[in-house]
Amino acid sequence: MTESGSRLALLRRLAATAPGDEGHDTVVMLTHPVLAAPEERAAARRLVDALGPTHIIAVDSARAAAAYAAPAGGSPLLVIDLGARLTEVTLVVDGLVQDARLAEVGVDDPPGSGGDAPIGTARSSADSVAGTAADMVSDLWRWDRTGAVRGALRRGVLVTGGGALSLDVTGRLAHLLRARLRLVNDPQTSVVRGAGLMLTSALRHPTAALPRT
């Protein structure tokens, strides 16, 4: 079985456990990295389309995480997603993505794979991920003309993804940013939980047309 076939089989098993009649008024919430390439989004959509849903609602992972764990009055907000293979930093203002950065560096990368350690030294995975995330925050700051990044840092940075469970990564990141980190409960599922909250909110308004995106 191909990789896409395995994923489809898994999705079908999960869909079979959902309540309600199969195929009747089915809504799928699809999340993706903020900076996912168009072809990557299209591939994910094709996979979900094979389930035959009535509607598909797509949302980026940063806004989903914010929906689950953002502090009250949390605008602007910096969301750092420390994933297994990717690290993403997103500036969210008034519920919308203002700017974002993405790097193919993650907590599952082997030590020394960061690419910028001095010759003869081994850069740890924690240093690589934290340093990359801090560099992306700095780049967002350089391009920010509104002061939103500064305000978000003062408010506290929302950290999600599996890397948020690593004290080595978060400790190093807090030191580099000189900012308070808001570590969400169960960070590995915060995006899924946030997407569920957003879907519930959408379904509470049955008169509103659900977009198929």
Side-chain angles (χ1 to χ4, degrees), residues 134-158:
D135 288 344
M136 290 192 289
V137 171
S138 296
D139 193 52
L140 286 176
W141 191 326
R142 282 194 294 270
W143 288 94
D144 179 27
R145 299 293 181 266
T146 65
V149 173
R150 181 191 296 270
L153 286 170
R154 287 176 175 171
R155 181 168 285 109
V157 180
L158 183 65

Side-chain angles (χ1 to χ4, degrees), residues 24-132:
H24 179 66
D25 291 338
T26 305
V27 181
V28 173
M29 197 76 172
L30 175 65
T31 65
H32 53 74
V34 176
L35 296 179
E39 58 270 20
E40 294 169 336
R41 298 188 189 197
R45 189 174 297 113
R46 287 194 299 271
L47 185 64
V48 174
D49 268 334
L51 296 175
T54 306
H55 298 284
I56 299 174
I57 303 176
V59 64
D60 59 79
S61 55
R63 287 193 296 149
Y68 172 64
S75 183
L77 179 69
L78 270 174
V79 181
I80 298 182
D81 189 346
L82 304 173
R85 296 294 182 185
L86 297 174
T87 297
E88 190 168 50
V89 177
T90 307
L91 175 64
V92 179
V93 179
D94 295 331
L96 300 175
V97 172
Q98 188 76 20
D99 204 353
R101 299 289 185 274
L102 176 69
E104 294 186 355
V105 175
V107 292
D108 283 354
D109 291 338
S113 62
D116 57 354
I119 296 175
T121 66
R123 190 181 193 196
S124 73
S125 176
D127 284 343
S128 179
V129 172
T132 298

